[in-house]
């Protein structure tokens, strides 16, 4: 009896080793396989820089009406949702419904879920938005600000910091920094832990509490939407740069927002910074923002 | 081993019951119908996908995984296939442009194999979006 138990364990052991080795061997074989397809290359027309940066000329952007088309352009092409009413209770995830009729009845239930409209801002998603001086530069201790700055609407967005605290905080590397300085999000990898939101001192990130598609009147099919439970923010229009286009806000700004290579002394942004007094948001924090404001 | 007979009988009954679906198919000769994904006219005319049909059948998931990594993280957005033809690496704008009949093409297999990719939670399906 003893003897046969021994042989049994031996065989079982060999079999187990074989079973564990097999997937490893096949995965080794298949991990190489997509490359036996074609190869991937950069778009030849893509715009490149050593370190992308932005200069916002606040002297020329003086009213909310000036900012509006810029914000609209960004939010429209990136499918950034606007929710007209706030939800009291969470909705059912109807997209998971297996059949069309199930999906329809699920949506009917969702329609009945009570909504409140008191606080539209609670679920707000923003990539670029308007803010007042005190919120933008909280460490400016002067309580007697010039009339002009006190009432000036400022455009604000992710600063694409050279030393981004959000990247350091993200446990999944969903938030990462490209070599050209752009702080990007890989939405596929975001687990919605919101560490990055806590780490960003500028409040540049939004969390999708709701399915963003519910807040979109029209979807731009050229750019994906996000899903519930994912953080998002401005991406410096990485998808446009790769096609040789300038960011959408820059295009909509009629020259009041400049975009270019901060490492190149001959670039438009550097020239503007040479000639004008510009500030960055909370430079003392050491995040090294790449967005400059000409005052 | 004094209950040998009982144990063996029990095991036989267990396996007969556990394998009923299999017996059933064997006896009645029914087979689950394999899906037949339909091609759009555009896909039909193109003959080949970005790679051969066989490659795509087996490896479209690896290919898409590679695409997403390259596009988002490596900033490489152009795919040059084995024949030297270039494609924009985009699920919505390249794949679904040709296979615009997602329900008859993608879903038919995904439903059959009970695979539920959540790609389309974010990536738009052109027809549905408009
Ligand atoms: S502004 Fe915030 S989100 Fe943007 S790079 Fe800096 S720390 Fe990260
Ligand atoms: S919420 Fe997403 S992006 Fe932010 S830290 Fe967590 S995983 Fe990273």
């Amino acid at each position: 009896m003893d003897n046969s138990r021994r042989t049994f364990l031996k065989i079982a052991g060999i079999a187990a080793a074989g079973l564990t080795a097999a997937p490893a061997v096949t995965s080794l074989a298949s991990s190489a396989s997509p490359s036996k397809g074609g190869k991937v290359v950069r778009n030849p027309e893509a715009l490149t820089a050593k370190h992308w940066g932005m200069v916002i000329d606040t002297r020329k952007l003086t009213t909310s009406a000036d900012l509006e088309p810029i914000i609209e352009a960004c939010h429209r092409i990136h499918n950034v949702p606007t929710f007209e009413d706030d939800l009291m209770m969470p909705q059912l995830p109807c997209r998971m419904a297996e059949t069309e009729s199930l999906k329809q009845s699920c949506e009917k239930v969702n329609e009945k879920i009570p909504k409140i409209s008191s606080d539209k801002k609670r679920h707000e998603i923003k990539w670029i938005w308007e803010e007042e001086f005190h919120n933008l530069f909280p460490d400016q201790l002067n309580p007697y600000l010039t009339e002009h700055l006190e009432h000036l609407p400022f455009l604000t967005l992710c600063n694409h910091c050279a030393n981004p605290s959000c990247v350091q905080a993200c446990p999944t590397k969903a938030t990462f920094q490209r070599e050209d300085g752009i702080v990007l999000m890989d939405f596929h990898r975001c687990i919605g832990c919101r560490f990055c939101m806590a780490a960003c001192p500028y409040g540049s990130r939004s969390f999708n509490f709701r399915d963003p598609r519910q807040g979109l009147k029209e979807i731009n099919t050229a750019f994906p939407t996000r899903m519930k439970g994912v953080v998002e923010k401005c991406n410096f229009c990485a998808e446009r740069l790769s096609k040789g286009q300038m960011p959408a806000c820059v295009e909509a700004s009629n020259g009041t927002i400049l975009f270019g290579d901060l490492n190149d002394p001959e670039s438009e942004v550097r020239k503007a910074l040479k000639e004008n007094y510009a500030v960055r948001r909370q430079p003392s924090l050491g995040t090294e923002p790449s967005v400059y404001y000409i005052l | 081993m004094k209950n040998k007979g009982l144990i063996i009988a029990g095991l036989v009954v267990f396996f007969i019951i556990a394998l009923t679906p299999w017996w059933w198919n064997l006896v009645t000769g029914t087979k689950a119908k394999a899906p037949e994904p339909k091609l759009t006219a555009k896909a039909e005319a193109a003959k080949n996908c970005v790679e051969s049909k066989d490659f795509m059948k087996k490896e479209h998931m690896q290919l898409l995984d590679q695409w997403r990594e390259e596009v988002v993280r490596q900033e490489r957005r152009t795919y040059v296939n084995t024949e030297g033809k270039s494609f924009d690496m985009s699920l919505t704008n390249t794949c679904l442009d040709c296979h615009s009949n997602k329900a008859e093409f993608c879903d038919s297999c995904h439903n059959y194999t009970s695979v539920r990719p959540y790609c389309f939670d974010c990536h738009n399906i052109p027809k549905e979006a408009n």
Side-chain angles (χ1 to χ4, degrees):
Chain A
M1 201 61 181
D2 247 9
N3 197 17
S4 67
R5 182 180 295 148
R6 240 185 107 84
T7 13
F8 170 74
L9 285 175
K10 249 193 221 159
I11 294 167
I14 292 167
L19 279 178
T20 38
V25 171
T26 38
S27 83
L28 267 184
S30 69
S31 74
S33 57
S35 60
K36 91 174 172 249
K39 58 178 192 297
V40 281
V41 292
R42 272 179 83 110
N43 291 355
E45 71 272 31
L47 300 178
T48 53
K50 286 236 168 60
H51 191 101
W52 287 113
M54 185 178 274
V55 177
I56 300 176
D57 194 341
T58 66
R59 296 168 307 185
K60 293 183 199 145
L61 293 165
T62 51
T63 62
S64 295
D66 291 341
L67 308 191
E68 210 180 298
I70 301 175
I71 297 171
E72 210 269 331
C74 165
H75 284 190
R76 182 169 33 83
I77 67 158
H78 292 117
N79 295 322
V80 176
T82 325
F83 295 108
E84 295 304 334
D85 39 22
D86 210 349
L87 279 186
M88 245 158 94
M89 284 192 299
Q91 295 209 307
L92 299 172
C94 293
R95 271 193 227 152
M96 319 269 255
E98 308 219 340
T99 64
E100 203 49 45
S101 67
L102 256 178
K103 197 167 161 189
Q104 274 165 11
S105 42
C106 170
E107 273 158 7
K108 259 190 209 133
V109 174
N110 272 347
E111 274 165 28
K112 295 217 175 82
I113 290 178
K115 294 173 174 136
I116 43 168
S117 50
S118 57
D119 188 6
K120 257 165 70 172
K121 292 227 149 159
R122 215 160 61 101
H123 292 161
E124 195 181 18
I125 307 284
K126 41 194 197 198
W127 281 32
I128 179 165
W129 69 102
E130 181 188 322
E131 198 73 80
E132 61 175 70
F133 186 90
H134 291 285
N135 294 339
L136 220 62
F137 305 100
D139 46 8
Q140 288 284 324
L141 299 174
N142 176 3
Y144 312 110
L145 206 59
T146 61
E147 189 78 3
H148 154 72
L149 287 179
E150 185 77 53
H151 299 295
L152 196 65
F154 285 89
L155 257 190
T156 178
L157 68 164
C158 168
N159 291 291
H160 294 271
C161 309
N163 183 20
S165 46
C166 56
V167 171
Q168 288 174 34
C170 179
T172 62
K173 294 202 167 74
T175 300
F176 63 101
Q177 190 175 28
R178 283 197 338 198
E179 269 178 19
D180 58 6
I182 297 184
V183 176
L184 214 57
M185 279 197 68
D186 184 344
F187 299 117
H188 304 106
R189 264 194 219 194
C190 176
I191 54 170
C193 66
R194 289 176 270 166
F195 283 14
C196 56
M197 292 180 79
C200 171
Y202 308 99
S204 298
R205 300 178 154 248
S206 310
F207 184 68
N208 284 292
F209 284 99
R210 295 169 66 176
D211 178 353
R213 282 181 185 170
Q214 289 170 354
L216 290 167
K217 288 201 191 76
E218 225 180 290
I219 290 181
N220 170 25
T221 46
F223 198 80
T225 63
R226 269 69 61 194
M227 64 191 280
K228 197 168 140 182
V230 167
V231 164
E232 64 181 77
K233 69 166 191 77
C234 152
N235 64 351
F236 257 8
C237 282
E239 84 284 1
R240 290 173 61 90
L241 295 175
S242 77
K243 278 187 272 171
Q245 293 167 325
M246 275 285 167
C249 57
V250 176
E251 225 167 61
S253 75
N254 293 322
T256 48
I257 305 179
L258 304 176
F259 193 73
D261 191 350
L262 287 174
N263 278 22
D264 173 10
E266 293 306 312
S267 71
E268 230 185 320
V269 278
R270 282 287 295 279
K271 275 187 196 148
L273 292 175
K274 227 177 276 172
E275 286 159 16
N276 302 285
Y277 177 67
V279 290
R280 292 187 290 172
R281 295 185 64 187
Q282 308 201 58
S284 58
L285 296 173
T287 54
E288 300 289 342
S290 307
V291 175
Y292 291 75
Y293 293 87
I294 296 180
L295 292 183
Chain B
M1 289 291 251
K2 59 176 188 278
N3 290 335
K4 203 174 183 179
L6 218 56
I7 290 170
I8 291 176
L11 277 175
V12 169
V13 171
F14 170 77
F15 277 111
I16 288 176
I17 293 174
L19 296 177
T20 339
W22 191 75
W23 300 129
W24 180 263
N25 281 348
L26 205 71
V27 172
T28 59
T30 46
K31 254 197 218 155
K33 244 185 45 218
E36 282 161 24
K38 275 207 198 88
L39 287 174
T40 56
K42 193 169 178 188
E44 197 95 60
K47 288 217 177 70
N48 259 352
C49 195
V50 299
E51 292 293 347
S52 71
K53 187 171 160 187
D54 198 41
F55 180 92
M56 295 311 290
K57 236 186 201 169
K58 282 192 219 134
E59 316 234 11
H60 66 279
M61 42 306 224
Q62 280 88 348
L63 184 93
L64 287 172
D65 189 44
Q66 183 202 23
W67 279 23
R68 96 173 164 184
E69 192 77 8
E70 294 285 353
V71 168
V72 185
R73 300 205 152 241
Q74 311 300 332
E75 228 208 313
R76 290 189 281 257
R77 293 177 183 245
T78 302
Y79 182 78
V80 186
N81 75 3
T82 25
E83 281 159 21
K85 239 172 119 187
S86 297
F87 297 89
D88 181 27
M89 289 153 75
S90 162
L91 179 60
T92 299
N93 304 307
T94 301
C95 307
L96 290 188
D97 178 45
C98 225
H99 300 289
S100 48
N101 53 345
K102 174 176 168 282
E104 291 166 317
F105 187 75
C106 319
D107 295 352
S108 70
C109 272
H110 290 164
N111 289 344
Y112 174 74
T113 46
S114 197
V115 173
R116 278 196 194 91
Y118 43 84
C119 313
F120 302 108
D121 282 3
C122 298
H123 291 274
N124 303 304
I125 305 155
K127 248 199 218 152
E128 284 181 20
N130 292 325

